[in-house]
């Protein structure tokens, strides 16, 4: 369609008025599951969300939030914030990073691209470093992709390889790090048999080392830098299996929070610091938790922490993590080209927009919502507010997080009369759910419900409309289950706590005094997913969605 004026102009909706204030609330990690003791949303006191559910089927329904409905490789893939918010904002389903990397690897195209050629220039004299999340969670990275890349890189000439691992325990069960390291060590041993000098060089838990996001705590990235680049860490081991096992035992840290460590040789020297002339690939496909490291690796001017040494390397991301910043400059696989998002259309069509969350989710309702684009479409029409998150804590300690502050900002924006769309992400169910602390997650869910109430009250006052939904499940199921759905017990008879997201659908509720009485959910889109929400919201602003958007979920009955 291009960017001509005609191209951006949306058609008027034949029945729905313009100018209403529409609150769009994304409850992060809030899925729908059967009620039981591990469903924290069920256990929590959530009168507001419960009352919305009474609107079924006309004003409350479920939408799909995982797998192919959000562009992931298969329906065994749980949803996540990136793909969820991409779908919500873009209104279409894009093949996402996980899938794009799969096909680039299986076709071998990854080795023909500019990015690989660039890192290959260092293979003769330098080391290839691979940094990323060692996990099969499929949210930020996948172990099988790393395995394939290791094999492919060595076949394409890499002679010395160092892997810098980040242990997970967030998108996968806690304790699985040991098995992943064993698998990787097997692969590296096979490479060594073929004459490739391949080793694990450093590591640490993802939440403690490297994978911070939205600049919440640069100390996390610095700890990684010290280990990966400088070869310095508080813990030194001769091998990574021992490192992970001992650190879990002795420091009592879980996989997410393992302290940084380096692997040393018989003389106590780090086996793989990053040096001038080396190549580095960050093998996560997802952007949010790699952007900060990418900046540290790429930017000549950098003042976020003292890098001590800034090696002259050839660096490529698995994907380009930020299209606006063109960061990193080199990448192995092109990211999905998400364009013409609902946010851009609405702003063009005069819809004044306010978006808010706290730091740890701020980019979700802005960057991800806008198709992985940072910044405003039109600064005069939009205001994005970030409330600083607490840093240096696990969120089970503060399960209320900043939900009420976010709701207050939303309330003020709604009452100000300045905005037509007020969009927020409430992080609690997800961020606290990831800690695996059930009691705290119950408090988190109650707080998110209180925040929704505050927003609905404001909508009531301005005769507006609300759209309440979620990006994927998490807090509604906190236990690992077998195929029959029964909790899996460990050898001591304890349930295995599920810290990850789920495959569950999420609720979608609409209402408010500004919604015409005849508006209800259609019955002919039973498999609707998050991508159908954009057209629905456009309708509620009084516009028809573009033809290629996934269909709206509402219809207007003549009364
Ligand atoms: O990055 C994280 O915190 C988890 O891996 C995924 O959670 P999110 O998709 O809700 O951000
Ligand atoms: Mn999320
Ligand atoms: Mn999450």
């Amino acid at each position: 369609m291009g960017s001509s004026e005609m191209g951006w102009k949306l058609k008027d909706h034949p029945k729905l008025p313009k100018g209403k204030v529409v609150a769009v609330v994304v409850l992060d990690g809030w899925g729908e599951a059967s009620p039981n003791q591990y469903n924290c949303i069920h256990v929590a006191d959530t009168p507001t969300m419960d009352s919305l559910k009474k609107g079924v089927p006309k004003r409350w329904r479920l939408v799909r939030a995982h797998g192919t409905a959000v562009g992931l490789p298969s329906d065994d893939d749980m949803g996540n914030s990136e793909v969820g918010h991409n779908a919500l904002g873009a209104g279409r389903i894009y093949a996402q990073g996980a899938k794009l990397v799969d096909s680039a690897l299986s076709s071998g195209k990854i080795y023909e691209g500019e990015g690989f050629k660039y890192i290959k220039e260092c293979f003769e004299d330098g080391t290839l470093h691979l940094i990323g999340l060692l996990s099969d969670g499929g949210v930020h990275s996948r172990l099988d992709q790393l395995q394939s890349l290791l094999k492919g890189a060595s076949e394409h000439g890499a002679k010395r390889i160092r892997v810098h691992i980040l242990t997970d325990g967030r998108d996968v069960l806690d304790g699985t790090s040991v098995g992943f390291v064993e698998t990787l060590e097997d692969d590296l041993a096979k490479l060594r048999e073929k004459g490739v000098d391949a080793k694990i060089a450093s590591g640490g838990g993802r939440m403690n080392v490297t994978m911070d996001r939205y600049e919440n705590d640069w100390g996390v990235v610095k700890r990684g830098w010290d280990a990966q680049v400088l070869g310095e860490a508080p813990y030194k081991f001769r091998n990574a299996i021992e490192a992970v096992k001992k650190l879990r035992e002795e420091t009592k840290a879980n996989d997410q929070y393992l302290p940084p460590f380096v692997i040393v040789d018989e003389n106590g020297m780090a086996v793989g610091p990053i040096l001038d002339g080396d190549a580095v690939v960050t093998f996560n496909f997802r952007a949010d938790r790699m952007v900060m490291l990418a900046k540290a690796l790429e930017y000549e001017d950098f003042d976020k922490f003292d890098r001590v040494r800034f090696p002259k390397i050839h660096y490529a991301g698995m994907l380009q993590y930020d299209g606006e910043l063109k960061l990193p400059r080199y990448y192995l696989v092109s990211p999905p080209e998400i364009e013409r998002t609902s946010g851009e259309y609405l702003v063009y069509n005069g819809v004044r927009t306010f978006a808010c969350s706290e730091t740890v989710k701020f980019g979700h309702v802005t960057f991800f919502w806008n198709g992985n684009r940072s910044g405003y479409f039109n600064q005069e029409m939009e205001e994005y507010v970030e409330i600083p998150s607490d840093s240096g804590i696990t969120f089970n300690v503060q399960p209320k997080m900043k939900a009420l502050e976010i709701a207050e900002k939303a309330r003020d924006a709604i009452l100000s009369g300045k905005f037509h769309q007020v969009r927020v992400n409430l992080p609690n169910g997800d961020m606290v759910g990831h800690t695996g602390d059930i009691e705290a997650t119950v408090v988190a869910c109650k707080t998110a419900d209180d925040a929704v109430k505050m927003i609905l009250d404001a909508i009531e006052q301005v005769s507006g409309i609300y759209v309440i939904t979620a990006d994927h499940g998490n807090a509604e199921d906190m236990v690992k289950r077998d195929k029959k759905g029964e909790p899996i017990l460990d050898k001591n008879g304890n349930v295995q706590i599920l810290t990850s997201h789920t495959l569950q659908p999420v609720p979608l509720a609409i209402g408010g005094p500004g919604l015409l009485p005849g508006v209800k959910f259609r019955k002919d889109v039973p498999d609707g997913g998050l991508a159908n929400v954009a057209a629905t919201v456009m309708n509620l602003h009084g516009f028809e969605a573009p033809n290629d958007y996934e269909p709206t979920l509402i219809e207007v009955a003549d009364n």
Side-chain angles (χ1 to χ4, degrees):
M1 188 178 325
S3 59
S4 70
E5 290 215 351
M6 278 312 289
W8 286 105
K9 185 98 190 78
L10 293 170
K11 280 195 209 136
D12 294 341
H13 192 280
K15 294 181 180 167
L16 293 173
K18 296 189 180 42
K20 297 281 177 196
V21 182
V22 181
V24 180
V25 178
V26 181
L27 290 146
D28 212 295
W30 188 287
E32 179 73 10
S34 53
N36 60 60
Q37 61 181 310
Y38 303 112
N39 179 337
C40 294
I41 298 170
H42 163 71
V43 175
D45 188 22
T46 54
T48 307
M49 291 302 287
D50 294 349
S51 72
L52 296 183
K53 203 167 172 177
K54 295 196 184 114
V56 71
K58 290 188 176 163
R59 294 202 165 176
W60 186 98
R61 63 164 288 168
L62 293 174
V63 286
R64 281 154 50 87
H66 79 288
T68 51
V70 285
L72 292 169
S74 90
D75 284 336
D76 294 330
D77 292 304
M78 61 197 172
N80 69 69
S81 290
E82 175 185 45
V83 300
H85 287 78
N86 279 172
L88 283 165
R92 286 145 296 158
I93 302 166
Y94 285 87
Q96 286 287 349
K99 205 163 163 181
L100 298 171
V101 173
D102 282 346
S103 52
L105 282 167
S106 63
S107 66
K109 289 224 167 80
I110 199 166
Y111 305 111
E112 292 160 18
E114 288 300 304
F116 191 80
K117 284 186 190 145
Y118 179 62
I119 59 160
K120 201 174 163 187
E121 287 168 16
C122 303
F123 287 1
E124 197 52 41
D125 303 313
T127 301
L128 167 63
H129 298 264
L130 302 174
I131 308 175
L133 185 66
L134 188 68
S135 164
D136 64 4
V139 174
H140 295 270
S141 67
R142 277 215 330 266
L143 174 67
D144 61 321
Q145 294 179 347
L146 169 64
Q147 293 177 296
S148 171
L149 185 61
L150 275 167
K151 188 164 169 283
S154 63
E155 285 165 4
H156 285 82
K159 299 189 181 98
R160 194 166 184 274
I161 302 178
R162 294 292 180 264
V163 189
H164 302 264
I165 61 169
L166 302 164
T167 54
D168 190 354
R170 187 172 177 90
D171 301 326
V172 292
L173 293 187
D174 182 45
T176 50
S177 60
V178 179
F180 291 132
V181 177
E182 285 168 350
T183 306
L184 177 60
E185 284 289 17
D186 276 355
D187 283 19
L188 297 175
K190 282 185 199 123
L191 288 180
R192 288 195 293 272
E193 279 165 23
K194 290 188 185 147
V196 182
D197 171 9
K199 289 180 185 156
I200 295 176
S202 77
R206 56 176 284 176
M207 300 302 285
N208 196 356
V209 176
T210 300
M211 283 175 63
D212 187 46
R213 68 177 162 209
Y214 308 139
E215 310 209 355
N216 197 42
D217 182 1
W218 276 100
V220 174
V221 185
K222 179 184 180 343
R223 285 193 280 279
W225 182 272
D226 291 350
Q228 295 143 2
V229 178
L230 308 179
E232 289 166 11
Y235 295 92
K236 296 183 172 59
F237 292 91
R238 289 298 304 281
N239 85 70
I241 300 175
E242 186 199 347
V244 171
K245 282 188 180 162
K246 277 241 169 86
L247 288 175
R248 280 182 58 84
E249 240 170 66
E250 286 172 13
T251 70
K252 297 280 173 258
N254 59 17
D255 287 352
Q256 296 191 53
Y257 284 92
L258 286 189
F261 63 87
V262 290
I263 303 300
V264 293
D265 63 16
E266 60 283 5
N267 303 315
M269 300 292 285
V271 300
I274 299 175
L275 303 171
D276 285 353
D278 287 350
V280 176
V281 171
T282 45
F283 62 84
N284 286 15
F285 43 74
R286 174 161 151 176
D288 57 349
R289 294 191 185 274
M290 273 296 127
V291 164
M292 293 166 75
L293 174 58
K295 286 182 177 167
L297 288 168
E298 185 142 314
Y299 288 166
E300 188 81 43
D301 289 328
F302 179 87
D303 58 6
K304 302 302 181 184
F305 59 85
D306 180 5
R307 290 182 291 195
V308 182
R309 203 161 51 69
F310 180 50
K312 290 190 179 51
I313 54 169
H314 281 201
Y315 164 50
M318 181 64 105
L319 259 71
Q320 185 166 60
Y321 300 126
D322 189 323
E324 286 299 291
L325 301 176
K326 305 245 175 301
L327 179 78
R329 210 147 40 93
Y330 288 90
Y331 44 94
L332 304 188
V333 177
S334 298
E337 279 178 42
I338 304 177
E339 31 79 68
R340 296 185 300 107
T341 60
S342 60
E344 189 162 11
Y345 270 114
L346 288 172
V347 162
Y348 188 87
N349 285 273
V351 173
R352 295 185 171 273
T353 302
F354 176 89
C356 173
S357 191
E358 62 171 280
T359 310
V360 292
K361 296 287 181 185
F362 175 67
H364 291 34
V365 275
T366 54
F367 178 80
F368 286 152
W369 191 277
N370 293 334
N372 304 339
R373 185 185 187 283
S374 36
Y376 292 107
F377 293 113
N378 177 347
Q379 197 149 5
E380 281 163 25
M381 300 284 294
E382 295 168 277
E383 187 178 338
Y384 297 167
V385 172
E386 174 183 347
I387 297 174
S389 287
D390 292 320
S391 63
I393 58 159
T394 55
F395 286 105
N396 55 334
V397 181
Q398 295 282 11
K400 295 187 174 175
M401 301 184 66
K402 305 290 182 210
L404 299 177
E405 289 86 337
I406 296 167
E408 279 164 12
K409 290 277 184 221
R411 177 198 62 199
D412 295 349
I414 290 166
L415 299 181
S416 74
K418 285 201 285 188
F419 303 101
H420 302 106
Q421 181 174 115
V422 172
R423 183 170 79 228
V424 298
N425 174 299
L426 298 172
N428 311 60
D430 183 65
M431 294 301 286
V432 187
H434 279 305
T435 67
D437 181 332
I438 291 184
E439 253 173 67
T441 308
V442 171
V443 177
C445 295
K446 180 183 175 347
T447 311
D449 192 77
D450 291 343
V452 173
K453 165 113 179 44
M454 199 187 293
I455 295 169
L456 295 194
D457 286 348
I459 283 295
E460 192 69 32
Q461 286 186 53
V462 300
S463 294
I465 297 172
Y466 58 78
V467 178
I468 315 290
T469 191
D471 58 342
H472 52 76
N474 184 336
E476 80 288 356
D477 198 10
M478 298 289 291
V479 70
K480 176 90 178 155
R481 295 177 186 279
D482 63 19
K483 287 214 171 81
K484 287 193 205 132
E486 296 301 322
I488 299 176
L489 303 181
D490 67 14
K491 50 183 187 300
N492 305 318
N494 299 318
V495 294
Q496 292 191 30
I497 294 294
L498 189 74
T499 51
S500 73
H501 301 168
T502 68
L503 303 173
Q504 296 299 127
V506 299
L508 173 66
I510 53 170
L515 195 60
L516 290 186
V519 175
K520 57 177 188 191
F521 286 127
R522 295 160 58 170
K523 290 198 181 125
D524 57 347
V525 200
D527 291 333
L530 293 177
N532 299 83
V533 173
T536 309
V537 171
M538 282 170 151
N539 291 170
L540 298 175
H541 283 293
F543 297 102
E544 296 259 44
N547 287 335
D548 62 341
Y549 270 43
E550 292 295 319
T552 180
L553 296 173
I554 54 172
E555 61 188 6
V556 190
D558 294 316
N559 283 306

